């Protein structure tokens, strides 16, 4: 829930990355996103360690949609991680950071022709094909460019994981991928194998996000392996790669029990050892963690600006951020934990709702929470906001987006600057005139 370096000192003040939170607030202001380098690194190493237990070694592709910036791409590059991108913009960010295109996996249920051409000319390692239309587009763009496109097919395996319905993707009634039922996936495989400018490398399936059980991940790997076995029997074609997607849950609340990565990988190792025909190489297993790498490394820092009691007695505290920097409570009823700097380990004695500053009734960051007595001007931190917060932030109400600062061993590094009012109007063009009869 909290970053690995989070601690509270004897005066109840919060420290992260070896820096006092109060000093960061004095330097950068609020709202402020913080990321702890030690936590990011530990999670990256956890994936790489677990996946190296497989033969051939598995590979992790960080899902950029959780949080991506040039600096983040730089960290991933330095630590030899793969990267999953879902748009030309994410690809551009990675390439600008000097990320090796061969370690990039290009996803998305809708990729434009331009994005496909961009990915092919950049020579990304893998394109994950999501529909028959896209298969045609990849084939024709690859033919035009005189290339062979490296492709995985996205399979919808029919696995329903227990998570919020908006972030569930494995069930058949989904906009993603080729359904395993009714022969759709088989038709896609058959068609892909017949394309002269496509090389089918294997399968991908992502079943959902913030999943706390282990079984759906193992089931997913088994389903893809079975599909491969089926095609090996039918046509002698065997997948080199099985990409089982992301989705590992994290601890938003103290009682959340995330799945054990090493245990999942071990179960996958066993089923692959069991199910790979003797004449072929075991497929490489890829995973695409987003949230489980970055969420707990992050927290958001706000200032309490308003405290009011409403008729009926309920207390609201309102902060200088909200749905513009964290849409998850409004979109998924996501629940967060928080603390108050200077009272971080005090007993929680007050029941409050933490509201945001945006003009929506639904702009509530934490609906019900017990906190130590909150006062106006207090610094309030919300934990585990590293994933899908900055990346889903908006300029609603024309509020500039907060900066992102990385902390590590007593040093702070600005990763993304605070937006200015001038940034907000950068793409605006001023009023000039309309046809004179409208004046
Ligand atoms: N791979 C694919 C193909 C995905 O679609 C996703 C997430 C991931 C990997 C990474 O999943 P993770 O490890 O982060 O769970 N905005 C939502 C989450 C949407 C996830 C979309 N796909 C949220 O804030 O909860």
């Amino acid at each position: 829930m909290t970053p690995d370096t989070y601690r509270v000192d004897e005066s109840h003040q919060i420290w992260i990355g070896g820096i006092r939170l109060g000093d960061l607030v004095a330097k950068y202001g609020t709202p402020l996103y913080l990321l702890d380098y030690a936590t990011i690194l530990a999670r990256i190493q956890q994936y790489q360690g677990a996946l190296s237990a497989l033969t051939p070694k598995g590979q992790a592709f960080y899902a950029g949609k959780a949080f991506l910036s040039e600096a983040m791409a730089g960290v991933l590059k330095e630590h030899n991680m793969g990267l999953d991108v879902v748009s030309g913009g994410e690809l551009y960010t990675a390439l600008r950071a000097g990320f090796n295109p061969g370690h990039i996996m290009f996803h998305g249920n809708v990729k434009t022709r331009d994005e496909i051409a961009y990915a092919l000319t950049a020579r990304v390692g893998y394109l994950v094909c999501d529909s028959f239309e896209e298969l045609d587009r990849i084939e024709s763009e690859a033919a035009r460019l005189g290339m062979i496109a490296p492709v995985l097919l996205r399979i919808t395996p029919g696995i329903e994981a227990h998570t919020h319905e908006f972030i569930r993707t494995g069930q058949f009634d989904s906009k993603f991928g080729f359904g395993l039922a009714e022969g759709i996936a088989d038709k896609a495989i058959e068609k892909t194998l017949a394309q002269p400018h496509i090389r089918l490398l294997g399968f991908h399936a992502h079943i959902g996000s913030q999943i706390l059980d282990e079984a759906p991940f193992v089931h997913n790997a088994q389903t893809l392996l079975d599909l491969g076995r089926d095609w090996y029997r039918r046509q002698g074609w065997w997948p080199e790669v099985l990409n089982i997607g992301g989705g590992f849950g994290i601890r938003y609340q103290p009682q959340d029990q995330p799945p054990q990565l090493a245990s999942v990988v071990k179960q996958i190792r066993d089923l692959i050892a069991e199910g790979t025909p003797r004449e072929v190489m075991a497929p490489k297993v890829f995973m695409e963690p987003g949230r489980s790498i970055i969420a707990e490394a992050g927290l958001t820092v706000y200032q309490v600006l308003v405290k009011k009691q409403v008729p009926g007695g309920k207390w609201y505290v309102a902060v200088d951020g909200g749905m513009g920097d964290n849409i998850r409570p409004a979109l998924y009823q996501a629940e967060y934990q928080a603390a108050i700097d200077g009272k971080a380990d005090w007993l929680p004695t007050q029941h409050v709702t933490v509201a945001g500053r945006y003009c929506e009734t639904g702009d509530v960051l934490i609906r019900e929470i017990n906190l130590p007595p909150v006062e106006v001007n207090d610094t309030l931190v919300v934990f585990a906001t590293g994933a899908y917060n900055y990346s889903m932030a908006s300029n609603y109400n024309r509020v500039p987006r907060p900066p992102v600062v990385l902390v590590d061993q007593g040093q702070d590094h600005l990763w993304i600057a605070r937006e200015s009012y001038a940034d907000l109007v950068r793409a605006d063009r001023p009023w000039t005139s309309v046809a004179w009869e409208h004046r």
Side-chain angles (χ1 to χ4, degrees):
M1 206 177 71
T2 55
D4 294 357
T5 65
Y6 176 85
R7 69 179 190 90
V8 177
D9 67 16
E10 55 292 341
S11 53
H12 319 287
Q13 298 192 345
I14 294 170
W15 291 66
I16 164 174
I19 312 182
R20 209 159 54 117
L21 185 69
D23 293 339
L24 292 164
V25 169
K27 180 163 176 185
Y28 295 102
T30 56
L32 167 65
Y33 293 108
L34 293 178
L35 286 173
D36 177 45
Y37 185 65
T39 310
I40 299 173
L41 198 56
R43 302 298 184 275
I44 287 176
Q45 287 168 346
Q46 200 185 359
Y47 270 94
Q48 290 180 331
L51 286 167
S52 66
L54 296 166
T55 320
K57 248 163 81 166
Q59 196 180 342
F61 291 73
Y62 169 76
K65 64 193 76 105
F67 170 79
L68 191 63
S69 72
E70 287 187 44
M72 182 66 194
V75 169
L76 298 166
K77 177 183 165 202
E78 194 168 302
H79 295 286
N80 217 15
M81 283 284 279
L83 175 64
D84 139 16
V85 302
V86 290
S87 67
E90 286 186 355
L91 177 58
Y92 178 79
T93 306
L95 295 177
R96 247 182 85 112
F99 198 88
N100 177 353
H103 294 173
I104 294 180
M105 171 99 51
F106 198 113
H107 270 289
N109 73 309
V110 175
K111 304 178 193 71
T112 66
R113 192 170 273 281
D114 285 351
E115 285 174 320
I116 292 167
Y118 183 23
L120 288 173
T121 33
R123 300 201 172 265
V124 302
Y126 309 87
L127 277 130
V128 182
C129 177
D130 210 283
S131 65
F132 288 105
E133 290 79 1
E134 188 174 293
L135 194 60
D136 292 342
R137 278 180 213 130
I138 295 175
E139 169 59 30
S140 68
E141 285 304 311
R144 188 177 63 81
L145 294 163
M147 304 171 64
I148 305 290
V151 162
L152 302 182
L153 285 180
R154 178 158 181 170
I155 307 296
T156 322
I159 298 170
E160 306 223 1
H162 296 287
T163 187
H164 191 281
E165 66 169 309
F166 290 3
I167 52 175
R168 232 182 269 157
T169 52
Q171 72 284 6
F172 288 137
D173 184 358
S174 162
K175 69 171 184 171
F176 294 104
F178 298 98
L180 208 49
E182 296 169 17
I184 299 170
D186 284 332
K187 203 172 136 205
I189 296 165
E190 195 178 343
K191 193 165 174 206
T192 308
L193 288 172
Q195 303 302 314
H197 298 93
I198 290 181
R199 175 151 168 244
L200 179 60
L201 292 170
F203 305 132
H204 165 271
H206 168 82
I207 50 180
S209 204
Q210 183 55 16
I211 296 169
L212 293 169
D213 306 327
E214 292 178 8
F217 296 106
V218 180
H219 186 182
N220 188 22
Q222 183 74 59
T223 308
L224 295 184
L225 185 73
D226 290 348
L227 185 62
R229 284 163 60 89
D230 205 26
W231 275 82
Y232 187 63
R233 248 194 325 266
R234 280 155 71 163
Q235 285 217 356
W237 176 86
W238 175 249
E240 288 169 41
V241 169
L242 298 183
N243 180 342
I244 64 163
F248 266 64
I250 63 115
R251 198 177 299 231
Y252 284 105
Q253 299 294 332
Q255 68 274 16
D256 290 339
Q257 295 283 350
Q260 292 301 309
L261 181 61
S263 151
V264 169
V265 171
K266 185 178 173 310
Q267 293 174 69
I268 291 174
R269 188 185 64 189
D270 293 349
L271 72 85
I272 286 181
E274 174 102 345
T276 302
R278 225 171 298 125
E279 317 79 65
V280 292
M281 281 263 291
K284 263 192 225 150
V285 174
F286 291 172
M287 292 179 90
E288 298 169 333
R291 190 187 319 262
S292 50
I293 298 277
I294 196 85
E296 288 172 282
L299 45 82
T300 315
V301 191
Y302 303 99
Q303 189 179 20
V304 174
L305 290 178
V306 172
K307 181 177 175 186
K308 63 168 78 158
Q309 196 170 27
V310 296
K314 195 168 149 181
W315 280 99
Y316 276 81
V317 295
V319 298
D320 53 358
M323 67 191 293
D325 59 76
N326 185 357
I327 191 70
R328 301 192 69 259
L331 203 50
Y332 318 115
Q333 295 85 46
E335 293 176 356
Y336 287 91
Q337 283 295 323
I340 298 177
D341 193 29
K343 311 171 192 173
D345 49 0
W346 290 14
L347 278 182
T349 52
Q350 245 183 26
H351 195 67
V352 300
T353 286
V354 180
R357 53 97 31 97
Y358 294 81
C359 298
E360 296 257 352
T361 304
D363 177 26
V364 165
L365 282 171
I366 306 179
R367 197 149 289 284
E368 304 270 306
I369 186 169
N370 292 318
L371 286 175
V374 195
E375 303 303 335
V376 167
N377 294 327
D378 276 351
T379 298
L380 182 138
V381 304
V382 175
F383 296 114
T385 60
Y388 304 109
N389 274 230
Y390 187 86
S391 65
M392 296 176 83
S394 77
N395 289 126
Y396 184 44
N397 294 170
R398 289 231 153 184
V399 175
R401 277 173 294 189
V404 180
V405 172
L406 181 91
V407 291
D408 179 40
Q409 298 182 66
Q411 305 226 325
D412 50 285
H413 308 265
L414 183 61
W415 267 17
I416 302 179
R418 184 182 297 284
E419 284 178 335
S420 65
Y421 290 151
D423 291 330
L424 295 176
V425 296
R426 195 174 47 83
D428 288 15
R429 296 296 175 266
W431 165 256
T432 48
S433 70
V434 289
W436 82 270
E437 57 271 28
H438 283 197
R439 290 185 193 182

